[in-house]
Each structure stands twice: as structure tokens, then as C-alpha cells.
């Protein structure tokens, strides 16, 4: 009896790549797993497209670079029958740092039995929507996740993790997310973030990931990246406060057209957080005031004309007679000077000026307030068309401005989920 087409298409889903045999049938080992990312025009959020659940349904998750794990609204829980809860007394739960301890009725401890209901309570974690700042508790679960592997020569192969850990949270946490987003994709340095789970499941990859954001089609790469050009390196630093977890770099000074801004910190060192949930870079008010004053002076010196501000931006210019170059409008260059004068994050017009009309462009930096949690937050617009590689093994950030290499993040598009999944 002939097999139906539907049955033949489902056959590949019965296989799983393990660490021992991952893609061993392919003579060219993959360089990375790739997740496509698009920018939502109404919220300016970056949305990753993932495939999860028993039917590997397509889901949209807002990218949170500093998020400790993947969380999704509870509606996904009822849609996937393959989902399994994680128990409070399990090793996976302790690895996730739950907000409640191991549940043992009667207060029994240690190994062995503990009476009826022993090890039966769900593993509970605290989840936060880092855009709306709403937080609540949710239950840790595991389910299937599929991902595309990039081999460097253009062909696609897919694999799935049978037991991917994520948090199921109340749907109220979805408030403020892009339309159709079902949760957030956490890329932080925790044991159950997407990069950490990936390197554990597919053990021949390094514990690192890359982000390449775009106004259109960007990507997240796990384990490697497709870029072969030169990249600047700087250490990732840790903040001591529990409220300040995330990816930070030291900024020793800020320069505009080569001129250093006055320092407002001892020794001139500032910790800058890199964020995908903040649309535009924010600066503490004192820093912002000096920054704007210096930028306007540099802009006027090259015959740029100030015009009326356009919310949310404070400083706007006429774009008439401003030459467009490979890296955007020819405007004063901003440098975030890092560990030395030779190491700097250079921001050209493409990442400093936001076009708001055919004739007006605005400085894409905002006042972060008098006492913000972070003095500098490098936002999504400044990250776009840069390749940022976060190496969790040696706590280093490597970055490159692709525009200076005559490339864009949209050059690295993932294919749709089609073909064989192992």
C-alpha cells in the first residue's frame, strides 16, 4: 500500500540529533544554528521566529538580549500535547534557580521518598516582560524546538531538541509586545537561556552566539557566525547588583568628531549595557546634556541646520544637502571609546541619524533621566547592521560594522522551515 505524502513528510520528524551523532552523515559540519529575526515597525521590537511544540508550529518571540530564559504565554501550553512540566525537586529546576524551594510534603529532606505528592510541585520561576516591566511567576516546562543549521555554503538542514526548557507565564505578561508575539527569547548568560541550552544539547559548538539586527531581515546565530572580516574585541563586564544582570562593556569616554566629552564619573569609566528591547540609545541626563551640546556644535561646524524637534527625539536636522555615503548620512561621527583609545565602537550616520521624513533626520539618542538603572544603554537602532558576537566562554564581545565591509545583516537570511528535520 502506498504511503501518503503527509506521512512521508512526517517521517523525518521521528529522528533527533544527539551530541554523539549530530549531523555526522554530512561531511561538512554546520557552523551555527540560525534563527531569522524581523523588526516590528509599530513597536520597533526585534522578533525572532522559532518552531516549537509537537507540530513544530511557528512562533514569534521578542528578542531580549539580556533575558535569562525563553518565556511564553500560557496559551502555548494548551496548544502542544508534547509539553512536559519540570518538577520542583529536579536537577533541571535547581539549575534554573527557582523562586521556591523543593517541595517535599511533611518537610522531609534528602534523597529517597517523601510521602504522597513528593516531587510533584511545579518548578516556579519569576518572569519579566522587560518592555512593559510587568513581572509575574510561571512554571518551567520542556518541549520540542526545531532549528536550522547554517553550513557556510548555502544549504539548509534542520534538527530539533526534544527537551527545550522554557517558562510558561500568564498571558498578562504579553502586554506591550509586538502583535502576534507569544513571549520573549532570552539570550542572557544563564544556564537555561537559549545559547546555554543550545551548547549543552549540541556539544561540538562553542558557548557563544551572534546577533545581527536589521530594519528588515536579520538573524541570531548560535555557536558561530557567517562573517569572515575583521572584528573589534572588548571584555564583557559583570555588574554586582542582581538588578543589573546583563551584557555590559566599559566605556572610558565618548567622542564626537574626535573631541572627548567631559567625564561625569570617577576615572571616566562608565558601564554601558547593550539591549535589544530599548529602541534607541539612552544616556543619563548629565551625560546626555553634554552629548547634545557637543553634537550640535560639531553639526553646525559642518553646515548642518537645526530644525524643530520631532518626538521622541530632542535634536533634529534638515537632511537637505547632507551627502549619503556607504555608512549613511555624512554627519559627525560618534565614538564610544572602550578599554583604550585604539578600541572604539564607531557610530556613523546610519546608526546615529533617524530619518523621520524626506527632509528631516533626528539624533537617535534619548535622555535616560537623572538616576537611571544604567548610565548608558546601547539600543537596537545603534546595533543594526553590526554583527555582535557574545562569547560566554571567555566573556568577550566582538563586533564589526557590516556597512563598512559593504554588507548588511539582511545578507544572512535563514530559509523557511522546509526540508528534512532530524
Amino acid at each position: 500500500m502506498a504511503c501518503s505524502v503527509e506521512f512521508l513528510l512526517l517521517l523525518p520528524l521521528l529522528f533527533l540529533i544527539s551530541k554523539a551523532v549530530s549531523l555526522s552523515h554530512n561531511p561538512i559540519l554546520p557552523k551555527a544554528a540560525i534563527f531569522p529575526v524581523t523588526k516590528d515597525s509599530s513597536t520597533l521590537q526585534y522578533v525572532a521566529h522559532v518552531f516549537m511544540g509537537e507540530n513544530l508550529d511557528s512562533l514569534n518571540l521578542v528578542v531580549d538580549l539580556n533575558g535569562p530564559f525563553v518565556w511564553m504565554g500560557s496559551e502555548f501550553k494548551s496548544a502542544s500535547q508534547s509539553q512536559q512540566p519540570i518538577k520542583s525537586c529536579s536537577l533541571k529546576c535547581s539549575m534554573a534557580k527557582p523562586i521556591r524551594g523543593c517541595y517535599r510534603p511533611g518537610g522531609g529532606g534528602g534523597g529517597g521518598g517523601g510521602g504522597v505528592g513528593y516531587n510533584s510541585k511545579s518548578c516556579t520561576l519569576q518572569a519579566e516582560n522587560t518592555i512593559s516591566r510587568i513581572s509575574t511567576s510561571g512554571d518551567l516546562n520542556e518541549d520540542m524546538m526545531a532549528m536550522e543549521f547554517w553550513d557556510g555554503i548555502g544549504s539548509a538542514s534542520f534538527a530539533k531538541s526534544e527537551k527545550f526548557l522554557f517558562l510558561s507565564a500568564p498571558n498578562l505578561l504579553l502586554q506591550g509586545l509586538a502583535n502576534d508575539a507569544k513571549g520573549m527569547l532570552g539570550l542572557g548568560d544563564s544556564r537555561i537561556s537559549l545559547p546555554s541550552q543550545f551548547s549543552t544539547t549540541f556539544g561540538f559548538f562553542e558557548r557563544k552566539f551572534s546577533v545581527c539586527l536589521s530594519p528588515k531581515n536579520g538573524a541570531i546565530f548560535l555557536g558561530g557566525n557567517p562573517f569572515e572580516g575583521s572584528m573589534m574585541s572588548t571584555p564583557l563586564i559583570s555588574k554586582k547588583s542582581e538588578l543589573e544582570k546583563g551584557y555590559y562593556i566599559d566605556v572610558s569616554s565618548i567622542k564626537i568628531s574626535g573631541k572627548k566629552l567631559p567625564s561625569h564619573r570617577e576615572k571616566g569609566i562608565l558601564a554601558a549595557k547593550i539591549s535589544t528591547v530599548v529602541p534607541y540609545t539612552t544616556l543619563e541626563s548629565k551625560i546626555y546634556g553634554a552629548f547634545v551640546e557637543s553634537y550640535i556644535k560639531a553639526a553646525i561646524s559642518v553646515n548642518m541646520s537645526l530644525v524643530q524637534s520631532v518626538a521622541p527625539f530632542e535634536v533634529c536636522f534638515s537632511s537637505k544637502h547632507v551627502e549619503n555615503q556607504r555608512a549613511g548620512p555624512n554627519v559627525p561621527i560618534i565614538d564610544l571609546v572602550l578599554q583604550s583609545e585604539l578600541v572604539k565602537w564607531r557610530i556613523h550616520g546610519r546608526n546615529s541619524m533617524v530619518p523621520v521624513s524626506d527632509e528631516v533626520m533626528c539624533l537617535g539618542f534619548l535622555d535616560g533621566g537623572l538616576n537611571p538603572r544604567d548610565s548608558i544603554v546601547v539600543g537596537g537602532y545603534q546595533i543594526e547592521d553590526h554583527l555582535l558576537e557574545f562569547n560566554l566562554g571567555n566573556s568577550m564581545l566582538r563586533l564589526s560594522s557590516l556597512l563598512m565591509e559593504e554588507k548588511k545583516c539582511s545578507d544572512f537570511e535563514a530559509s523557511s522551515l522546509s526540508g528534512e528535520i532530524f
Side-chain angles (χ1 to χ4, degrees), residues 155-225:
S155 60
S157 55
F158 295 87
K160 64 177 177 176
S161 169
E162 292 277 6
K163 299 182 181 298
F164 182 81
L165 295 170
F166 70 97
L167 198 72
S168 178
N171 286 333
L172 67 90
L173 213 59
L174 299 175
Q175 294 179 24
L177 297 187
N179 188 36
D180 291 331
K182 304 301 182 185
M184 301 190 81
L185 189 79
L187 300 173
D189 189 7
S190 78
R191 296 185 69 183
I192 62 168
S193 68
L194 174 60
S196 295
Q197 290 197 63
F198 172 79
S199 63
T200 300
T201 303
F202 304 101
F204 56 85
F205 289 100
E206 291 185 67
R207 191 166 169 257
K208 64 183 181 182
F209 70 96
S210 299
V211 173
C212 207
L213 302 181
S214 167
K216 295 182 180 179
N217 301 313
I220 294 168
F221 298 91
L222 302 180
N225 70 65

Side-chain angles (χ1 to χ4, degrees), residues 55 85 95 130 140 204 258 302-303 347 350 361-363 379 400:
N55 298 320
M95 181 175 67
T130 49
L140 190 64
F204 56 85
V302 293
N303 299 318
I347 301 172
R350 156 66 181 89
M361 58 186 181
C362 298
L363 185 60
S400 178

Side-chain angles (χ1 to χ4, degrees), residues 249-254 268-272 335-339 376:
I249 54 176
D250 270 338
V251 175
S252 61
S253 66
I254 301 174
I269 300 296
L270 293 162
D335 286 321
L336 303 182
V337 182
L338 306 178
Q339 66 264 34
I376 302 175

Side-chain angles (χ1 to χ4, degrees), residues 87-91 93-94 101-104 118-121 123:
K87 303 298 177 61
S88 68
C89 295
S90 66
L91 179 60
C93 185
S94 63
C102 176
Y103 173 74
R104 289 188 175 92
Y118 169 76
N119 199 23
S120 63
K121 290 290 184 180
C123 182

Side-chain angles (χ1 to χ4, degrees), residues 2 19 55 63 76 117 124 127 173-174 188 201 237-239 250 267 273 282 289 308 367 385 408:
K19 288 193 293 183
N55 298 320
V63 177
F76 174 71
T124 304
L173 213 59
L174 299 175
T201 303
I237 62 173
S238 299
K239 299 293 289 289
D250 270 338
K267 301 181 182 180
K273 187 175 187 177
T282 61
Q308 185 175 356
D367 189 338
D385 286 319
K408 295 183 294 183

